[in-house]
Amino acid sequence: MAKFENLPQELFLDEILPPLPVRDIVATFQVNRWFAKLGEDEVFWRRRLRQDYNYTVASTARESGFKFLYSRIHKPLLYVWGGSGHGRLGRPASQRIGQSMSDTQFWPMKLDIPGHRIIELATGGWSFSALDSKGRIHVWGQMMDGQAPASHGFSNSAKQAHRPMRLALSTPIRSISCGRGCSMALDQQGKVWCFESWGRPFLFEPNAFDPSHPDNAIIQVNCGWTFMAALNASGAVFVWSVFEDLVRNAIIFRDRELVTHGRNTHSPAVDGVIQCQTWIMRGIEPRRLPELPTLPKLTNGAEPQHRLVKIAAGDGFIVGLTNGGHVVKISMHPNSNWEYLLLFCETAKVKGLKEFQVEGGPTAPSKLRVANISAQLHVFVVYTTGNDSIVLLGDAWTTPTSIPRVEFTLQNRGVISIGLGHDHFAALLENGKLLTWGTSIATGMGDPYKIVPGKPGGFASERDKRESLTSLRYIPHINTPTEVRFDHELTKPRERFVFSMVASGHHVGALIVDLEEGEPEEIEVKPIGSKIFRYLRP
């Protein structure tokens, strides 16, 4: 009789276990040591996160910890902080501890969206978008700056959602991405949604996305500052913009049609749900970016034909990552071509950077393999994973001869994601810690006027603090990446694990799981007179 141990592990991980309820799977993994070892397979739990919670790791370079995350992600917590203007925090700034600027949230503040499990965030210039485990999109803030008449609904891009509202879409969404004043989504069927306003999103269906050809399948959508980009299975990249003439004119024509037929309801919100007037845009083709240049072989083994597997868009440029680990970049000028950034991905070139030659300084990997890329506005980031992970920064003007910027304090720390805001940055580590630096309005350290001078987020000295109150008020700068706490309003420290974060504009958002799940939180409220009131939050 054949033993389970003699059967291929893939038979269980790929065929037998996936259809089963998690309760039965966990029981199976407790049968004996062989099954217990099978239960540690990271790929299995990564797939299960996608299957059961609609969660992917596309926004991070996480390579481990999926079993742990699966055990906790059933109850994620959402925190936001930074500037609260335009309703971008989804609720008023907290006054519990007292702060010096009423329009700024200086520490992470919990934002509840009852009945929904948020698993992904994206940030626009004045807004947040959130994706839940059932593929529904929630938004708050404003899509664009400006004022919308009170009578207008969310067909006006300046209409403010002062609290989280759900978009009434007909199909579950797989991933989301935001630009400054536009956003896009990829649904479960692989179709591309574009948002110039939250009330009138459209399906973009050019011939280039014809689903009858497998190579045309869209695998990633990513918003640049003012344009949209899509990557298909063959590695081709397409770009377009809702602000350019052809697309913009089609949007205007559609709006006029609604008025003509008496159906211009301005897309109101009813019971917290924005009534989207969806439509389909056809007959307009996106611009296809050029083919990749000839690229060198970066590994010793056999490499397939080089193609792009990930893109990151900024203001007027795109950075790409290939299946061979190459980093390339292209500007949005019509006649531009992809440029190979060898100093960001070749082992010998990176190891030769002066920062990795300093005695006692960071260590470059013996064999470099770029795992992820990020871009926002004028900055892009390239990074590897693991204990010897490195982080390399470039910008919109980087060329093949440009030397990467190496931040000493980010090297060899297991960085799996970088958030890029206006004068502030965030780095998520594989161990669930979140580091921020830059201008403290969005670093989450706390009210700089309440922090002891010299401490991260505080002023350099009491003199600087006093001068800021008597002259043009400014915010102190944090030079060294510092860990963010998520227990500012609690009476005692509490362990949290951040599994996703985003940064943009003047705001930051993070999704966390509680490592002390089941223990009630003791909340400290604003002092009244000489008393401090506390209550327990379950």
Side-chain angles (χ1 to χ4, degrees), residues 97-177:
I97 302 177
Q99 59 185 46
S100 306
M101 299 180 184
S102 59
D103 62 346
T104 300
Q105 179 63 41
F106 283 115
W107 58 88
M109 173 183 64
K110 188 178 177 183
L111 179 60
D112 292 317
I113 306 181
H116 303 283
R117 184 185 291 114
I118 302 302
I119 50 87
E120 183 182 349
L121 293 174
T123 45
W126 304 271
S127 67
F128 275 97
S129 293
L131 183 65
D132 70 21
S133 58
K134 294 184 178 180
R136 296 171 296 198
I137 298 176
H138 307 258
V139 298
W140 59 96
Q142 292 178 208
M143 178 74 83
M144 284 291 287
D145 191 14
Q147 294 287 332
S151 60
H152 281 209
F154 288 92
S155 61
N156 189 317
S157 59
K159 182 70 172 180
Q160 184 178 128
H162 61 276
R163 61 184 177 88
M165 295 186 177
R166 180 168 62 85
L167 302 185
L169 298 176
S170 59
T171 179
I173 299 300
R174 184 195 311 172
S175 65
I176 53 178
S177 179

Side-chain angles (χ1 to χ4, degrees), residues 251-324:
I251 293 172
I252 293 172
F253 181 77
R254 170 64 178 176
D255 290 345
R256 288 173 177 170
E257 271 192 326
L258 291 174
V259 174
T260 300
H261 293 87
R263 293 187 288 122
N264 185 14
T265 62
H266 294 298
S267 305
V270 179
D271 296 329
V273 180
I274 296 175
Q275 307 302 303
C276 298
Q277 296 172 293
T278 62
W279 57 290
I280 301 174
M281 181 181 289
R282 297 190 179 103
I284 295 177
E285 293 299 310
R287 171 188 164 200
R288 178 170 178 158
L289 297 185
E291 299 293 327
L292 292 173
T294 301
L295 298 170
K297 186 177 179 180
L298 296 183
T299 60
N300 294 327
E303 280 191 350
Q305 183 177 359
H306 296 141
R307 60 181 173 82
L308 288 168
V309 293
K310 188 162 189 176
I311 56 174
D315 185 9
F317 72 95
I318 293 177
V319 177
L321 177 63
T322 76
N323 55 342

Side-chain angles (χ1 to χ4, degrees), residues 145-423:
D145 191 14
Q147 294 287 332
S151 60
H152 281 209
F154 288 92
S155 61
N156 189 317
S157 59
K159 182 70 172 180
Q160 184 178 128
H162 61 276
R163 61 184 177 88
M165 295 186 177
R166 180 168 62 85
L167 302 185
L169 298 176
S170 59
T171 179
I173 299 300
R174 184 195 311 172
S175 65
I176 53 178
S177 179
C178 289
R180 183 172 185 258
C182 58
S183 62
M184 59 192 309
L186 186 65
D187 71 19
Q188 297 285 13
Q189 299 176 338
K191 294 183 177 181
V192 177
W193 290 83
C194 302
F195 298 81
E196 178 267 344
S197 71
W198 288 324
R200 290 182 183 162
F202 62 88
L203 272 174
F204 189 40
E205 293 189 351
N207 294 330
F209 296 174
D210 182 359
S212 64
H213 301 286
D215 283 350
N216 290 345
I218 302 301
I219 61 173
Q220 183 195 355
V221 293
N222 192 257
C223 271
W225 201 234
T226 57
F227 66 92
M228 299 176 173
L231 173 68
N232 73 13
S234 71
V237 180
F238 300 87
V239 296
W240 67 99
S241 174
V242 295
F243 306 113
E244 292 179 350
D245 288 347
L246 281 177
V247 178
R248 185 66 197 160
N249 289 340
I251 293 172
I252 293 172
F253 181 77
R254 170 64 178 176
D255 290 345
R256 288 173 177 170
E257 271 192 326
L258 291 174
V259 174
T260 300
H261 293 87
R263 293 187 288 122
N264 185 14
T265 62
H266 294 298
S267 305
V270 179
D271 296 329
V273 180
I274 296 175
Q275 307 302 303
C276 298
Q277 296 172 293
T278 62
W279 57 290
I280 301 174
M281 181 181 289
R282 297 190 179 103
I284 295 177
E285 293 299 310
R287 171 188 164 200
R288 178 170 178 158
L289 297 185
E291 299 293 327
L292 292 173
T294 301
L295 298 170
K297 186 177 179 180
L298 296 183
T299 60
N300 294 327
E303 280 191 350
Q305 183 177 359
H306 296 141
R307 60 181 173 82
L308 288 168
V309 293
K310 188 162 189 176
I311 56 174
D315 185 9
F317 72 95
I318 293 177
V319 177
L321 177 63
T322 76
N323 55 342
H326 309 87
V327 177
V328 293
K329 175 178 171 288
I330 190 171
S331 72
M332 290 298 96
H333 299 301
N335 298 321
S336 295
N337 291 299
W338 291 101
E339 296 182 310
Y340 172 47
L341 305 183
L342 66 166
L343 293 174
F344 285 79
C345 56
E346 290 192 7
T347 302
K349 298 293 185 184
V350 172
K351 291 179 69 174
L353 295 175
K354 63 180 182 179
E355 288 84 358
F356 296 114
Q357 303 300 313
V358 178
E359 185 176 351
T363 303
S366 57
K367 185 177 293 185
L368 185 69
R369 178 73 179 192
V370 175
N372 206 359
I373 52 177
S374 305
Q376 178 78 285
L377 194 54
H378 299 140
V379 181
F380 71 86
V381 186
V382 171
Y383 40 105
T384 65
T385 56
N387 293 331
D388 58 357
S389 68
I390 62 169
V391 177
L392 306 175
L393 287 86
D395 57 38
W397 303 276
T398 294
T399 69
T401 60
S402 298
I403 298 175
R405 194 167 86 244
V406 180
E407 297 287 349
F408 272 74
T409 52
L410 294 177
Q411 312 309 317
N412 310 148
R413 301 190 66 175
V415 174
I416 61 170
S417 183
I418 298 284
L420 306 166
H422 284 187
D423 301 321

Side-chain angles (χ1 to χ4, degrees), residues 475-534:
I475 300 301
H477 191 83
I478 299 176
N479 294 314
T480 303
T482 304
E483 183 180 343
V484 178
R485 292 170 36 227
F486 292 89
D487 54 8
H488 280 262
E489 298 182 343
L490 305 182
T491 60
K492 60 181 180 179
R494 195 173 180 95
E495 288 295 315
R496 314 283 200 183
F497 183 97
V498 182
F499 68 88
S500 183
M501 67 83 197
V502 289
S504 183
H506 300 288
H507 47 295
V508 180
L511 295 172
I512 71 174
V513 292
D514 195 344
L515 299 183
E516 301 177 40
E517 189 176 19
E519 293 294 325
E521 296 178 343
E522 189 174 82
I523 307 298
E524 181 174 292
V525 301
K526 187 177 180 180
I528 301 177
S530 59
K531 297 181 179 180
I532 294 178
F533 291 84
R534 298 179 174 88

